[in-house]
Amino acid sequence: MTADSHAPIRADARRNRDQILAAAKVVFQAQGPDVPMEEIARSAGVGVGTLYRRFPDRESLIRAVAQDSFERVLAEVRSVALEEPTAWATITRLLAHSRELRVMLQLALLSERAHEIITRDPAVRGIRDEIFGLLEDLVVAAQREGSLRADIGAGDIGVLLSLLVRTFPAADAEVAGMMLHRATALILDGLRAPGTPLPGRRLVQGDLG
Amino acid sequence: MTADSHAPIRADARRNRDQILAAAKVVFQAQGPDVPMEEIARSAGVGVGTLYRRFPDRESLIRAVAQDSFERVLAEVRSVALEEPTAWATITRLLAHSRELRVMLQLALLSERAHEIITRDPAVRGIRDEIFGLLEDLVVAAQREGSLRADIGAGDIGVLLSLLVRTFPAADAEVAGMMLHRATALILDGLRAPGTPLPGRRLVQGDLG
Amino acid sequence: MTADSHAPIRADARRNRDQILAAAKVVFQAQGPDVPMEEIARSAGVGVGTLYRRFPDRESLIRAVAQDSFERVLAEVRSVALEEPTAWATITRLLAHSRELRVMLQLALLSERAHEIITRDPAVRGIRDEIFGLLEDLVVAAQREGSLRADIGAGDIGVLLSLLVRTFPAADAEVAGMMLHRATALILDGLRAPGTPLPGRRLVQGDLG
Amino acid sequence: MTADSHAPIRADARRNRDQILAAAKVVFQAQGPDVPMEEIARSAGVGVGTLYRRFPDRESLIRAVAQDSFERVLAEVRSVALEEPTAWATITRLLAHSRELRVMLQLALLSERAHEIITRDPAVRGIRDEIFGLLEDLVVAAQREGSLRADIGAGDIGVLLSLLVRTFPAADAEVAGMMLHRATALILDGLRAPGTPLPGRRLVQGDLG
DNA sequence: GATGAATGAGTATTCATTCAT
DNA sequence: GATGAATGAATACTCATTCAT
């Protein structure tokens, strides 16, 4: 009686699907959105045929990976907001410590083409809108708390996050970590109220492409 | 007209080389480091054969483009330092307004592979070292001036610059410009003395890979 | 209910087999002999697994479809011969109006490979021989009647039929029907006694490959 | 000063192009429109790359082969019309002996898809229209001569031709030849005035899809 | 020297067939 | 027995690089 036309999907198929998503996420981040499909399949431990049965082309795989990642971020934003005492602490923690958030943005910024594919997908857009709704609430709250400078919008937070998720050009992994932490701290310094006035206007979700 | 058999290169050959470099720079930035060689040749107005005569493979073209770009930056840093009254003003202007600097870093960060190619090239390294020498001087001077926070090294400036040269995920070009200006201003706010202490240590040139 | 272990096949299995044959016949005609097996299975309403259980490979499916079709034609030729008053009327009716005959020949002419597969199958050959025996009798009888020109053999009738079963290159289905009817009528005109002498000799069954 | 933007094409390139067209024509007829591109390339004695340089995809190759073939037929129809004393003789000779015409129609009838590709191409359509114009003139003239039955249009001739160009299901090549000659003769018998009235109406060019 | 033609290796994708559920 | 998931071989097409004109 389930209305779902694809039925509950067999357990082994489900496992394969998950493996593929996980592998694709890793491989996309490491090698970009143009990695050979064969490589994704291999690193998921399946044949290419299986990969293509689940995801009929590269686009649909990218979409699925993005959707999975966006969902994880949404869940995390919700739980962090519950755990942290203030909006500023929530923003800070997300900005500085969320691995899911990094992954999500790295996927979204992989390439022009990946960005378009993700942006055009209605499911992903829906989740993105939810995340942004929460972020806007956090921004307003943190400004009321007096911790976040007033001339900042949720879109600005998005922009700054998009900067911090890039790979850092470091000599080694330890230094890369330090770069991330220092740049993050410095940007948090910049975000703290009151700050010298910024040019332009508060950026909102719609300003992001 | 010197007797030296390699040196003066015929004028038209020189022109070809310059056209290719200019075209490649544009095309690399617009389409990434994997654009078909044919496309580069076409947009330079020459045949692929000519492209390959000048630059025996993609690597060598990338190296040449990088070298050209790094040289321009070196020249610019020198002239800006002469024109501006303070070290802080020099840093600010470079960070906020140097197109050459943006282009140079965008090339260097095009891709993992491009980064390696550039980094490994001795000629480019030489120029980069000169640029960094000047930058270190500027950092020290600006800290003496009391404008730049003390816990920052030239490497940190490099890191922050590397963030700001990325393409911004904007809905349109105007907003993209605003994103750049606002993010730059906010980071400059963060750079201003004194700031809350940053984690780790001052980063120096050697920390960049 | 016989004790024989292979014979009666379970009713549902029988139904599956019939559905597959019917679907395959339709799909082969519509899409050629290379349609994906999955598509045949789908249009028969079964899984590929079931298709392969019944027919271990494409060849055996083609053979089975052909055999089924040839049997239907044999039955039809017999009944038409009984119903029509003259041999010429029988030939005319078969040539102009038999859907089974069209289908059979279309299958046999689907492709070089399909033709070979069918031709090589002993069961199909047997049925074909019976059909041809009847056709030869009809030809002789019609020539005795004086309606069919004398320099024609059963093989010639086969050839002319093979022409008429092709898809006509018509702008729409109605015109296609008209093409078929007009070409059929014109060929019947050509078949009528006496006619100008044809080159070569009467063609017989053995001349068909 | 030639306006032709692609310049006169190099002699060796021209030769390759011609070889590819010739090879493709043969291979398409022998193996259908889905032969591996590699096979076409091989039988033309070039690499696949060369094939793709000249014809960016299978469609464009099919179009080019068709155009070439249609042009040959147009030329032949013109010259045969000049050589033969009557319109009926012209029609007869084309129908019975034109190899170019057979090839052209076999290409056009290769497959549903090939037919569409060819039909949609404006260049090919133009040539086809010219051929048909000539054919219509011939039909009218032959009917005036009293040789061709009156209830036939140029479209009918096209239909009958389309029947005769199919591969005959013969045991060997010699018999296949005989089948073609006999079927042709019989159809010519059917075409001769006056004939028993055909159903429907005269078919014209527009009736062909 | 310049040009653009030729080559062939690299990758995406499809589908026949096998096999676990 | 039925199902549909997994596999991998086959094939289209792209592009870096070489070489004839």
Side-chain angles (χ1 to χ4, degrees):
Chain A
M1 296 299 155
T2 48
D4 191 348
S5 67
H6 309 295
I9 206 179
R10 255 162 54 180
D12 57 339
R14 178 81 216 169
R15 198 173 331 116
N16 270 338
R17 198 192 130 94
D18 292 346
Q19 279 170 12
I20 292 171
L21 279 183
K25 194 180 289 190
V26 169
V27 177
F28 278 146
Q29 284 185 268
Q31 318 214 35
D34 297 327
V35 258
M37 295 296 265
E38 187 114 19
E39 177 141 350
I40 297 172
R42 194 179 331 121
S43 88
V46 302
V48 263
T50 303
L51 173 49
Y52 275 94
R53 163 176 280 272
R54 296 296 153 218
F55 307 99
D57 54 24
R58 184 182 293 274
E59 271 206 29
S60 91
L61 177 59
I62 290 177
R63 273 196 298 271
V65 170
Q67 179 169 344
D68 180 83
S69 181
F70 276 62
E71 278 169 355
R72 288 170 196 270
V73 168
L74 178 55
E76 189 180 32
V77 171
R78 282 181 174 138
S79 74
V80 170
L82 289 178
E83 288 169 29
E84 295 295 331
T86 65
W88 173 253
T90 305
I91 290 175
T92 296
R93 178 163 148 200
L94 288 171
L95 206 130
H97 301 298
S98 169
R99 285 189 61 64
E100 294 295 352
L101 197 48
R102 282 184 67 76
V103 170
M104 174 188 97
L105 286 166
Q106 280 168 357
L107 288 172
L109 300 169
L110 266 185
S111 74
E112 191 65 36
R113 189 163 149 266
H115 186 257
E116 257 200 47
I117 292 169
I118 292 173
T119 300
R120 224 185 298 122
D121 183 66
V124 176
R125 293 176 69 105
I127 306 170
R128 190 193 59 167
D129 289 351
E130 289 195 72
I131 296 173
F132 249 98
L134 297 175
L135 182 55
E136 272 162 13
D137 295 347
L138 287 169
V139 163
V140 169
Q143 287 169 338
R144 279 216 196 94
E145 290 167 6
S147 335
L148 179 64
R149 59 194 294 169
D151 54 357
I152 281 280
D156 289 294
I157 303 284
V159 169
L160 295 168
L161 276 166
S162 81
L163 299 183
L164 291 169
V165 301
R166 304 292 189 164
T167 304
F168 286 86
D172 64 62
E174 196 205 327
V175 173
M178 204 187 302
M179 286 177 176
L180 170 59
H181 293 138
R182 289 169 67 79
T184 304
L186 190 138
I187 282 178
L188 283 172
D189 252 21
L191 280 174
R192 250 180 276 271
T196 58
L198 298 178
R201 55 170 171 73
R202 278 187 190 83
L203 296 180
V204 295
Q205 178 181 2
D207 291 316
L208 300 171
Chain B
M1 307 303 160
T2 53
D4 187 344
S5 67
H6 337 276
I9 305 182
R10 277 169 34 187
D12 57 339
R14 179 80 215 166
R15 200 174 331 116
N16 267 344
R17 199 190 132 93
D18 291 347
Q19 280 171 5
I20 292 171
L21 280 183
K25 193 181 291 190
V26 169
V27 176
F28 278 145
Q29 285 187 265
Q31 319 214 33
D34 297 326
V35 262
M37 295 296 266
E38 188 110 22
E39 177 140 349
I40 297 171
R42 192 178 332 121
S43 86
V46 302
V48 257
T50 305
L51 173 49
Y52 273 93
R53 163 171 289 272
R54 296 288 161 229
F55 306 99
D57 55 24
R58 184 182 292 274
E59 270 205 30
S60 90
L61 176 59
I62 289 177
R63 272 196 299 271
V65 170
Q67 179 169 344
D68 179 83
S69 181
F70 275 62
E71 277 168 356
R72 287 169 197 269
V73 169
L74 177 55
E76 190 180 32
V77 172
R78 282 183 174 135
S79 74
V80 170
L82 289 178
E83 288 168 29
E84 294 296 331
T86 65
W88 174 253
T90 304
I91 289 174
T92 296
R93 177 163 150 200
L94 289 171
L95 205 131
H97 301 297
S98 169
R99 281 192 63 63
E100 293 295 351
L101 196 49
R102 282 184 68 76
V103 170
M104 176 191 95
L105 285 165
Q106 280 168 356
L107 288 172
L109 300 169
L110 265 185
S111 72
E112 191 66 35
R113 188 162 151 266
H115 187 255
E116 258 199 45
I117 292 169
I118 292 173
T119 301
R120 222 184 300 119
D121 182 64
V124 176
R125 293 176 71 105
I127 307 170
R128 190 191 62 166
D129 289 352
E130 289 195 70
I131 295 173
F132 250 100
L134 296 177
L135 182 55
E136 271 162 12
D137 294 346
L138 286 168
V139 163
V140 170
Q143 286 169 338
R144 278 214 197 98
E145 289 167 7
S147 333
L148 179 64
R149 60 194 293 170
D151 53 357
I152 280 282
D156 289 295
I157 302 285
V159 168
L160 295 169
L161 276 166
S162 81
L163 299 183
L164 290 169
V165 301
R166 305 291 189 164
T167 304
F168 285 85
D172 63 60
E174 196 204 326
V175 173
M178 204 187 302
M179 286 176 176
L180 170 58
H181 294 138
R182 289 169 68 80
T184 305
L186 191 138
I187 284 178
L188 283 173
D189 252 23
L191 280 175
R192 251 181 275 272
T196 58
L198 297 179
R201 54 169 171 74
R202 277 188 192 82
L203 297 180
V204 295
Q205 176 180 2
D207 292 315
L208 299 171
Chain C
M1 309 305 159
T2 53
D4 187 344
S5 66
H6 338 275
I9 305 182
R10 277 169 33 188
D12 58 338
R14 179 80 214 168
R15 200 173 332 116
N16 268 344
R17 198 190 132 91
D18 292 346
Q19 280 170 5
I20 292 171
L21 280 184
K25 193 181 289 189
V26 169
V27 177
F28 279 145
Q29 285 187 267
Q31 320 213 34
D34 298 326
V35 262
M37 295 296 266
E38 188 110 22
E39 177 139 350
I40 297 171
R42 193 178 332 120
S43 86
V46 302
V48 257
T50 305
L51 172 50
Y52 273 93
R53 163 172 288 273
R54 297 286 160 231
F55 307 98
D57 55 23
R58 183 182 292 274
E59 270 204 32
S60 88
L61 176 59
I62 290 178
R63 271 196 300 271
V65 170
Q67 179 169 344
D68 180 83
S69 182
F70 275 62
E71 278 167 355
R72 288 169 196 271
V73 168
L74 177 55
E76 190 181 32
V77 171
R78 282 182 175 137
S79 73
V80 169
L82 290 178
E83 288 169 29
E84 294 296 330
T86 64
W88 173 253
T90 304
I91 290 175
T92 296
R93 178 164 150 199
L94 289 171
L95 205 131
H97 302 296
S98 169
R99 281 192 63 62
E100 293 295 351
L101 196 49
R102 282 184 67 77
V103 171
M104 175 190 96
L105 285 166
Q106 280 168 357
L107 288 172
L109 299 169
L110 266 184
S111 72
E112 190 66 35
R113 190 162 150 266
H115 187 256
E116 257 199 46
I117 292 169
I118 292 174
T119 301
R120 224 186 298 119
D121 183 65
V124 176
R125 293 176 70 105
I127 307 170
R128 190 191 60 166
D129 290 352
E130 290 195 71
I131 296 172
F132 249 100
L134 297 177
L135 183 55
E136 272 162 12
D137 294 346
L138 287 169
V139 163
V140 169
Q143 287 168 337
R144 281 215 194 95
E145 290 166 8
S147 335
L148 179 65
R149 60 195 292 170
D151 53 356
I152 281 283
D156 289 294
I157 302 285
V159 169
L160 295 169
L161 276 166
S162 82
L163 298 183
L164 290 169
V165 301
R166 304 293 190 163
T167 304
F168 286 84
D172 63 62
E174 195 205 327
V175 174
M178 203 187 302
M179 286 176 175
L180 171 58
H181 294 137
R182 288 168 69 78
T184 304
L186 191 138
I187 283 178
L188 283 173
D189 252 24
L191 280 174
R192 251 180 275 273
T196 58
L198 298 178
R201 55 169 170 74
R202 278 188 190 81
L203 297 179
V204 295
Q205 176 180 2
D207 291 316
L208 299 172
Chain D
M1 295 304 153
T2 48
D4 191 347
S5 67
H6 310 293
I9 207 180
R10 254 163 55 182
D12 56 340
R14 179 82 217 167
R15 199 175 330 117
N16 270 338
R17 198 192 130 94
D18 292 345
Q19 280 170 11
I20 292 171
L21 279 183
K25 193 180 290 191
V26 169
V27 177
F28 278 147
Q29 284 186 265
Q31 318 213 34
D34 297 326
V35 259
M37 294 297 265
E38 187 115 19
E39 177 141 349
I40 297 172
R42 194 179 330 121
S43 88
V46 303
V48 262
T50 303
L51 173 49
Y52 275 95
R53 165 176 277 272
R54 294 297 153 217
F55 308 99
D57 54 24
R58 183 183 293 274
E59 271 204 29
S60 90
L61 177 58
I62 290 177
R63 272 196 298 271
V65 170
Q67 180 168 344
D68 179 82
S69 181
F70 275 63
E71 278 167 356
R72 288 170 195 269
V73 168
L74 177 55
E76 189 180 32
V77 172
R78 282 182 175 138
S79 73
V80 170
L82 289 178
E83 289 169 28
E84 295 295 331
T86 65
W88 173 254
T90 305
I91 289 175
T92 297
R93 179 165 149 199
L94 288 171
L95 205 130
H97 302 297
S98 169
R99 284 190 60 65
E100 293 295 350
L101 196 48
R102 282 184 67 78
V103 171
M104 176 190 96
L105 286 166
Q106 280 167 357
L107 288 172
L109 300 170
L110 266 184
S111 74
E112 192 64 36
R113 190 162 148 266
H115 186 258
E116 256 200 47
I117 292 169
I118 291 174
T119 301
R120 223 185 300 122
D121 183 64
V124 176
R125 292 175 70 104
I127 305 170
R128 190 193 58 167
D129 290 352
E130 290 196 71
I131 295 173
F132 250 99
L134 297 176
L135 182 55
E136 272 162 13
D137 294 346
L138 287 169
V139 164
V140 169
Q143 288 169 337
R144 280 215 195 97
E145 291 166 6
S147 335
L148 179 64
R149 60 194 293 169
D151 54 356
I152 281 282
D156 289 294
I157 303 285
V159 169
L160 295 169
L161 277 166
S162 80
L163 299 183
L164 291 170
V165 301
R166 305 292 189 162
T167 304
F168 287 86
D172 63 62
E174 195 206 327
V175 173
M178 204 187 303
M179 285 176 176
L180 169 58
H181 293 137
R182 289 170 67 79
T184 304
L186 190 138
I187 283 178
L188 282 173
D189 252 22
L191 280 174
R192 250 181 276 271
T196 58
L198 298 178
R201 55 170 171 74
R202 278 187 189 83
L203 297 180
V204 296
Q205 177 180 3
D207 292 315
L208 301 171

